[in-house]
Structures are given as structure tokens and as C-alpha cells.
Amino acid sequence: MGILYNEQAGIFKLDALDTSYVIGIFDDERFVSHLYYGKKIIDSDVRYLYGPLYQVRPSVLPGQAGRIMDAVPFEYPTFGCGDYREHCLEVETVDGYHACDLRYEAHKIYPGKPALEGLPSTFEREAGDCNTLELVCRDKVLNLGVTLLYTVFEQLNVITRAVLVTNEDSNAVYIKRVLSGCVEFDHQNFDVMTLHGSWERECGPVRTPLRQGKIVTESTRGESGPTDNPFLAVLSCDATEDTGEVFAMNLVYSGNFLGVAQGHHFRGTRIVMGINPVNFSWKLEPGDTFTAPEVVMVYSDRGLGKMSRTFHDLYRGHLIRDVYPDTSRPVLINNWEATYFGFTFDRLIEIAEEASKCGIELFVLDDGWFGDRNDETKGLGDWFVNEEKLPGGIARLSKEINKLGMKFGLWIEPEMVSPDSELFREHPDWAIQIPGRHRSLFRHQYVLDWSRREVRSHIYDMIHQVLSGANVEYIKWDMNRTLTEAASAALPADRQGELCHRYVLGVYEIMGRLREDFPSLLLENCSAGGSRFDPGVLYYSPQIWGSDDSDAIERIQIEMGASMCYPLSTIGAHVSAVPNHQTGRITPLETRGYAAMAGTFGYELNIAQMSEAEKAVIREQVDIYHKYNWIVKEGDLYRIGDPFANRDHACWMVVSRDKKEALVTYIQTHALPGYFGSARKLRLKGLMDEAVYRAEVISVSSEVVNGDAHLEGGQNAGKGREVLEVSGSALMNAGYWMERLGGDYMGMMIHLKAIV
Ligand code: GLA
């Protein structure tokens, strides 16, 4: 059992794979304090860790001047009683008072993990995976019960947290702020890593030295958003991809969030994460419970790489419910960048026919198939097929696609409504708005009030009808704008602050229903690209479109950034046409394939207009995908060349769980002149030292330059050329020569297989 309680010492010790997390209950007043988080310690009585805390403890002992709440490391800090650092809970009484003071009351330790009502969360897959501690705390004045939930995944370096707040009083209270977790450290020797970006530039890692003050990552957009991702890590200042300590948090939530790293005035650090308190308030009636979402905490003693692999293992094993658990997901082709709104039935079939000849398995019809939607100004909300455009409807189209041996998939954007739509004309009050205030349009659309049951049911029924009338095996669920003037016509004044959270709960409810009603449906999420890329969405949807930027070179950065916490198998990535529609960049077709194979892999171009030579490359890519995708889907990711730090190359590899096979991808993003040119020796990772690997280049973007001199001491890396047989120790310590390739954006893929 990974959770120990030492009653005499008042200490809880949570042990994950090689992590310990220690909670102490101050003996007399029962404050719940945080004593340690880091590499495993073996003692069960570590009360010495209180150290000088006993002197500053928040107790009114005889002869003590007063409380110094501000110095104590709390497990779940509250507002109003003297802790001025970043807090987790703030409650307002009906009389307008703001103070809360939690003390330990009871606890439970049990095997397994409870689900969180209405919210996605990680789960136990097999009995014995995890154990849970419930710490029940209470504010006696408010009659407020706060249960802190901790689950330890014993085979991973993962502890998850969530919080239940129950009003046991006879008056309502208002929760003004309820975060999901807090961790304290007794020093500030950290850098902080967060993921930032923008539309078409999601998930860029930003590393900032911590000092006294706050580093914040947050969203107030109503979705997790493209500018900040609900991820925050503190890492030792000298931490690298492979060394140093990392403590990371990732919130399993898809709405407004807040993550803060605070270097505080007692020279310590506090990190917190949860629902963003901006425009949040929750009225808790007597007897009601509020559930705060889960925050996943990962510890790594070997840098960012191990942190990422831990997140990937957790999410693949305990969050994602893949509809293709034992096989690769189908290679898809999406018509968006091929036709935009300008498609006809025949054009779609033409694309599908060519795609099927190349082995592509799933045809996805994107935006524009419904209502009066021939451009982005109209039709959202009218989820019935446009028969003028698609005679015979989705039923006929999907049948024709199925006849080609392909599956059929469809795009929807169910949370939105166009002002120019039948739905809006009938129900103008269904769109989110503040009465008397201009309602902002983004992309010609409003957001529907999904906090209202009748609104979501109406939309879901329409979509259900489309899905029931045709063989739809995939859905791309899009969300192309953020919330503004957030208010609901259905909520009273003192509950308006609940809208954003209720909206997210509504989205989860409908995604959950969709999964239940159509269990074999593959759901891919999207929000103008990767604007809602978070673990909450991954619970319903095993893949998320990574970005509206489909340029291969840009995508490498976005994918490597997203891979900080999300598995490659979740990142929707397609080969698109050149010149690229977002950047104008021209890259080899093979390279576009390498970037897309670091994700879910598919195409988004007009294959019917491609040359025979290009179609041959596509056939080869589909073959490579089928042969090797299992490594990407299940394996361990090692980032080698950092595409953010290096102007001239990117490299990553995925190693099978048994370390017997690996797939290395190398991209020469900027060719260099000189004797060696861009040839470089890169140290591989994650292999077995003693095993001998056969390294074979299975694909190259273009002719390899055949100068001999630069190969001296290396090996031939060209496709179809001699393969290398060498030990893991050589490949990892001395490195593998990446041959000089013919110019910018060229790349190659190398397959490694242990032969001895
Ligand atoms: C968003 C998506 C795109 C595409 C369009 C359709 O921008 O990210 O992939 O589906 O909507 O309108």
C-alpha cells in the first residue's frame, strides 16, 4: 500500500514509484501542513521535518505573540486568516464575510480511485494500480467540509489531487475560489516551465527563472486556450531534458484555469493550480457539494524527458479510452485544406477514390455540409444536411465512401450558433450574452449557452439524428471561438459566476453521451487547432487536432511542445499541400510525413491533383505508418534535438517498451555549409547498452549528398545503403551520424532493431 499513516506522528506518507509526498497534521490544532515532496524517503516517522515550523506554527500557545500563518506550508491554503500567499480556497458567507480556516477532522485510505462527478479524471485500469487518501477537513465556523483527495499511482511517479467542498451549514455560502492543489517547497532554486503560444502557434515551452513574486499561467477564455496550457512545472535551475528534478502539474479541465508559481517572502515556493477564480463564483446551498477538477502531479528525477514519459504513460494507461486500443488508428484524409467550403459531392468522391488507392482508410468531411453553410458567415446550429450540396445526404455520401473500402467521418461545431441561422432566429436567447450589452462576434458566430440543459439536448438530438442515419465512424468536434460577455439568461444574479464552469460541465456531459451512444466512434477534438488541448478533453477524445498551422517545420515545434505532457498519439497531425497554406513554406512530401507521423497521421490536401510520383510517396508513408506506428503509439518518447533551441535540426525518437525497437526521426531544418555541412553525430537515448541494434534508414526526404569525407568515423545512413550494426552503448554514448542531407527541410527516419 503506497499510503502510510503514522498516527503517533500525525504523518501521512504517500509513496509513488520513486517519489514520496509527506503531509503532517500539527498535533494540537490539526492544521494540515505539507512537509515534503520529492525523491523517495524510506522512513515512516519524519516528524523532524516540521523543524522550525514548530516555532512559527499557527498556534495560540501560552506566551506566543500570535499566529504566523504566512510561514506555514499548507496542503490546502485558505484565504482570510493570515496566509497572504497564493491560496486555494476563498469562501464568502451570506453576510459577506471572507475567511476560512481548515483543520483536519478525519481520513480514509482505500484501494482504487473515485470518479469525480460530472468531470473527467484519471482512473484505475487494473486493481492495484492506485490507492487513495481522503483527508476530511473542516471550518467549524462555516460548517464547511473540505475533502482533499490524493491518489497515488504506485507504478508511476504520479499523485493526483482533487477537492470536494460540502456545505454542512443551514445557510448558503459562495465559493469565490477553489483550486485543486498546492505544493510547497522550502527553497526557490527553481526555473518555471509553462506552455504558451497563440492560434497556429500552440504549446511553446517557456522557461523563466523563479524569484520572489509570481509566475502565472491562465485562461479566462472559457476554454483552456491557445495562449496558455494548463501545465506548470518547477524544475531545478540546472535541469535539462535528461537531468535534474522536475515537479509538474497538469489540470484535467477544459475551461478557465489558473496555475501560479510563487516565490514567497519566507524564501520558499508555492505552486497552485485549479479553476480560474476570475468571473467565478459558486453558490453552495446547504447539503450541496462542489467538486473541483483533478490536478495531476508528476515528479521526475531525470529532467523533462522523464516527466513527459510519465505523463504519457499515465494518460495512455489511465485517462484515454481509445476506440482502437490494440491497433493503429485509421489514416485519414480531411477535405478542409483541399476544398474549404467549395466542395461538391463529386469532388469529395474524387478525393476519396484517390485516397483509397493510396491505402488511406478514413475520409473526413469538414465544415460546410449542413444548413446554409457555404462560407463561415452562416449556418452553425442548423445540424441538418444541405441536400442541395450533397444530394442523398450524409447517408448516401458515407455509403459511397464505404464502397471504396474507407470509413467515413464528419466535422461538427456543436457549441456555436451563427446569427444567420434558423436556430438563432428561433432562439436568440440561447446564445451567451449580457442583456443590454453588445454581443461580440468572432468568426461570425456566437457561443451557445451550454450551461442550459435544453440547449445542449436540442443540439445533441440534431447531431444524434445525423449520426444514426449514416455510417459515421469518426467525428471532429470543433470549437472556434472563445466566450465573451459571459452570462446566462437561465441563471439568477447570484449564480452568474457559475456560467463558465457549468458550460464546461455541459460540454463534458454531451461528449460523454456521444461516447456512450456511439461507442465505436472515434472522436477527435479541435478548437481552431489546439486551443482546447488538455487532459479533460483527452478523457473523451483520444486525439486532438494539434494546430491550424499544418506547416511541417512549424509543426515539429508545436508537437514537441505539446509532447511535454501529451502523448504523440494524441496530437492530430496531417500532411498538407505546398506551398503551405499558413506559411507559404515548401517542404518535401516525405518531411511532411515525418512531422505528421509524430502525431496521429493523416492527410489534408487534394490528393486527386497530385502526381503519380507523389502518390507513390504517400503509399510508402502509409506503409511505414502501419509497420511502425505501434512504436509511436505505445513507446517512450525521447526528444533529442530541441527544435526551439536549434535553428538547424530537430530530432526525436520513440523506443518500444521492451527497448528492442526504436524509430528515430531527424529533420535538417536549416542546411549548413562547410566541410561537414549539416552532418552531425547525435546521441540516441533510451536503448539497451549491451544490445546490438541494426540501424536502417527507412525513408529519406531527398538525395543524400554522397561526399565520403564527412562519413569518416560514421556510417552510411542513406536509404537502401548499408545498414549499421552497433551496440546501444555506442549509439547512446558516441552517437549516430546523421548524414548531410540535400538542403533545408530534408529529413529521414531510421529504424532500430535489437538483433543480439
Ligand atoms: C477550424 C479548424 C479547422 C477547420 C475549420 C473549419 O479552424 O481548426 O481544421 O475544421 O475550423 O471551419
Side-chain angles (χ1 to χ4, degrees):
M1 173 75 81
I3 301 177
L4 293 172
Y5 176 50
N6 182 328
E7 193 171 352
Q8 211 201 354
I11 297 244
F12 294 92
K13 188 157 155 288
L14 285 55
D15 285 330
L17 187 62
D18 32 44
T19 321
S20 293
Y21 187 101
V22 184
I23 301 165
I25 310 295
F26 270 109
D27 51 2
D28 51 352
E29 299 218 29
R30 326 216 97 191
F31 288 100
V32 184
S33 61
H34 178 79
L35 294 185
Y36 176 74
Y37 184 26
K39 210 161 172 142
K40 197 167 235 171
I41 49 182
I42 56 172
D43 316 64
S44 65
D45 182 354
V46 280
R47 72 185 102 175
Y48 81 95
L49 288 175
Y50 283 116
L53 293 181
Y54 269 117
Q55 276 97 60
V56 298
R57 68 191 190 172
S59 176
V60 197
L61 293 175
Q64 192 174 336
R67 300 177 170 195
I68 312 178
M69 299 286 267
D70 220 18
V72 175
F74 286 111
E75 269 303 310
Y76 197 66
T78 53
F79 177 78
C81 295
D83 181 355
Y84 299 101
R85 296 160 297 176
E86 202 66 21
H87 55 280
C88 284
L89 185 67
E90 181 182 357
V91 175
E92 184 184 78
T93 65
V94 280
D95 300 316
Y97 304 135
H98 289 238
C100 184
D101 180 1
L102 293 179
R103 311 295 174 91
Y104 166 86
E105 192 175 72
H107 73 269
K108 265 200 273 183
I109 296 173
Y110 53 89
K113 184 172 193 295
L116 300 177
E117 208 193 326
L119 286 164
S121 59
T122 56
F123 49 80
E124 180 178 56
R125 192 171 284 272
E126 281 171 22
D129 284 344
C130 47
N131 289 294
T132 297
L133 164 67
E134 285 191 13
L135 273 183
V136 183
C137 311
R138 169 176 302 279
D139 180 301
K140 282 192 188 141
V141 176
L142 296 173
N143 272 326
L144 195 74
V146 175
T147 302
L148 307 179
L149 295 168
Y150 299 80
T151 297
V152 181
F153 282 85
E154 288 171 31
Q155 296 314 312
L156 296 167
N157 283 308
V158 173
I159 297 172
T160 63
R161 292 185 60 172
V163 179
L164 311 175
V165 182
T166 303
N167 182 2
E168 289 157 9
D169 199 61
S170 51
N171 285 313
V173 284
Y174 294 89
I175 304 175
K176 308 305 283 182
R177 173 180 174 116
V178 55
L179 304 191
S180 298
C182 168
V183 181
E184 304 256 3
F185 303 91
D186 56 12
H187 65 89
Q188 287 174 5
N189 303 321
F190 284 128
D191 283 350
V192 180
M193 179 166 279
T194 41
L195 294 174
H196 297 283
S198 173
W199 175 56
E200 296 191 335
R201 191 168 51 78
E202 298 85 347
C203 282
V206 174
R207 186 167 174 164
T208 319
L210 184 78
R211 27 81 196 156
Q212 188 169 337
K214 295 178 189 175
I215 294 172
V216 173
T217 185
E218 66 171 338
S219 166
T220 53
R221 299 165 171 263
E223 61 171 356
S224 43
T227 62
D228 303 48
N229 195 274
F231 162 84
L232 180 144
V234 289
L235 45 153
S236 43
C237 302
D238 59 354
T240 66
E241 184 65 22
D242 303 303
T243 60
E245 286 198 301
V246 186
F247 301 86
M249 283 183 166
N250 195 197
L251 191 67
V252 187
Y253 189 62
S254 310
N256 295 338
F257 72 90
L258 174 70
V260 182
Q262 180 182 27
H264 59 71
H265 62 303
F266 282 98
R267 294 194 293 266
T269 299
R270 178 177 276 185
I271 58 174
V272 296
M273 189 169 268
I275 293 178
N276 200 321
V278 171
N279 197 19
F280 172 85
S281 170
W282 195 274
K283 184 177 185 184
L284 206 59
E285 294 287 1
D288 279 2
T289 294
F290 180 86
T291 306
E294 172 167 283
V295 63
V296 170
M297 304 195 306
V298 165
Y299 168 75
S300 162
D301 59 352
R302 269 180 281 139
L304 292 163
K306 186 172 171 191
M307 171 201 76
S308 298
R309 289 186 289 280
T310 305
F311 274 120
H312 300 175
D313 286 345
L314 178 76
Y315 292 161
R316 288 182 299 197
H318 304 276
L319 179 72
I320 293 165
R321 297 164 301 157
D322 200 340
V323 284
Y324 295 93
D326 305 316
T327 53
S328 296
R329 298 195 206 119
V331 178
L332 69 79
I333 186 156
N334 175 304
N335 75 307
W336 180 243
E337 286 197 15
T339 67
Y340 295 101
F341 290 101
F343 58 82
T344 60
F345 190 95
D346 293 343
R347 266 188 94 187
L348 298 177
I349 294 295
E350 194 188 29
I351 293 174
E353 267 168 3
E354 283 308 320
S356 77
K357 285 188 212 155
C358 291
I360 296 173
E361 299 153 298
L362 164 65
F363 177 86
V364 178
L365 174 56
D366 211 279
D367 196 355
W369 57 268
F370 50 89
D372 190 16
R373 184 132 170 119
N374 294 309
D375 56 44
E376 56 182 46
T377 63
K378 294 180 188 176
L380 289 171
D382 297 341
W383 299 107
F384 41 83
V385 72
N386 181 336
E387 291 260 356
E388 234 171 81
K389 233 172 167 177
L390 296 175
I394 296 300
R396 176 168 162 242
L397 180 63
S398 62
K399 242 184 234 147
E400 290 302 313
I401 301 287
N402 289 163
K403 272 192 214 156
L404 297 169
M406 297 175 89
K407 297 177 192 297
F408 177 78
L410 206 55
W411 177 97
I412 56 173
E413 197 182 355
E415 299 156 69
M416 299 293 151
V417 64
S418 309
D420 191 350
S421 65
E422 287 182 20
L423 184 77
F424 187 73
R425 281 185 283 275
E426 254 172 66
H427 300 287
D429 66 312
W430 281 12
I432 286 175
Q433 65 167 330
I434 294 179
R437 178 170 292 283
H438 170 74
R439 180 157 39 187
S440 301
L441 267 176
F442 285 9
R443 208 194 189 212
H444 308 276
Q445 62 199 57
Y446 298 134
V447 184
L448 285 170
D449 183 354
W450 271 41
S451 72
R452 294 169 68 173
R453 184 180 299 279
E454 70 275 25
V455 176
R456 18 181 229 273
S457 295
H458 181 89
I459 299 292
Y460 184 65
D461 290 347
M462 278 197 276
I463 286 165
H464 194 283
Q465 205 168 342
V466 175
L467 299 187
S468 318
N471 187 19
V472 182
E473 297 182 74
Y474 160 105
I475 281 286
K476 176 176 171 189
W477 177 311
D478 210 339
M479 195 250 189
N480 277 315
R481 66 156 286 181
T482 51
L483 275 60
T484 54
E485 298 90 28
S488 170
L491 289 172
D494 66 348
R495 285 191 181 272
Q496 286 298 341
E498 299 177 14
L499 171 65
C500 291
H501 183 57
R502 287 185 182 275
Y503 179 92
V504 175
L505 295 178
V507 170
Y508 289 152
E509 182 205 277
I510 297 301
M511 284 191 197
R513 278 177 74 182
L514 193 61
R515 284 206 56 134
E516 266 168 40
D517 294 348
F518 302 94
S520 57
L521 185 80
L522 171 59
L523 183 59
E524 172 155 359
N525 254 259
C526 171
S527 177
S531 298
R532 197 161 60 182
F533 208 122
D534 59 63
V537 165
L538 285 181
Y539 178 76
Y540 301 96
S541 172
Q543 55 191 58
I544 303 175
W545 180 227
S547 178
D548 274 350
D549 185 354
S550 66
D551 174 88
I553 302 306
E554 294 278 307
R555 262 311 188 99
I556 292 166
Q557 291 197 339
I558 294 167
E559 288 162 11
M560 289 302 118
S563 78
M564 278 294 157
C565 40
Y566 308 113
L568 295 184
S569 60
T570 65
I571 308 172
H574 299 165
V575 173
S576 61
V578 288
N580 176 266
H581 292 195
Q582 291 80 40
T583 61
R585 184 174 284 119
I586 296 176
T587 50
L589 182 53
E590 293 90 344
T591 303
R592 284 175 268 153
Y594 306 149
M597 273 186 237
T600 60
F601 196 56
Y603 293 83
E604 189 159 332
L605 40 66
N606 194 340
I607 197 168
Q609 287 173 355
M610 295 179 90
S611 69
E612 284 312 312
E614 286 174 311
K615 283 187 252 180
V617 173
I618 292 181
R619 274 191 286 276
E620 200 176 318
Q621 288 173 331
V622 172
D623 279 352
I624 290 177
Y625 173 81
H626 281 305
K627 225 163 150 185
Y628 301 110
N629 176 255
W630 65 273
I631 308 178
V632 178
K633 205 173 170 207
E634 300 164 14
D636 293 329
L637 172 71
Y638 291 86
R639 290 176 292 255
I640 297 178
D642 176 355
F644 295 92
N646 299 316
R647 170 178 91 118
D648 46 43
H649 74 276
C651 184
W652 63 93
M653 66 187 286
V654 193
V655 183
S656 67
R657 303 308 297 243
D658 62 7
K659 297 185 179 291
K660 288 186 177 160
E661 283 191 61
L663 203 57
V664 182
T665 309
Y666 169 76
I667 316 275
Q668 182 178 287
T669 42
H670 185 89
L672 299 173
Y675 192 59
F676 284 96
S678 297
R680 56 175 57 80
K681 194 147 58 64
L682 294 180
R683 292 180 187 186
L684 304 189
K685 300 180 187 176
L687 303 172
M688 295 179 280
D689 273 323
E690 327 73 42
V692 173
Y693 289 89
R694 183 172 191 275
E696 185 186 2
V697 175
I698 54 168
S699 173
V700 187
S701 302
S702 69
E703 287 297 309
V704 173
V705 175
N706 269 331
D708 282 335
H710 71 277
L711 293 175
E712 200 182 324
Q715 75 287 329
N716 297 336
K719 186 181 180 186
R721 296 168 67 178
E722 217 175 285
V723 292
L724 174 73
E725 288 181 3
V726 68
S727 76
S729 66
L731 292 169
M732 292 192 292
N733 299 327
Y736 180 94
W737 271 107
M738 299 295 169
E739 202 158 346
R740 170 185 182 172
L741 302 175
D744 291 350
Y745 317 136
M746 304 294 169
M748 60 182 164
M749 247 182 188
I750 303 142
H751 176 241
L752 304 180
K753 190 170 173 114
I755 47 172
V756 189

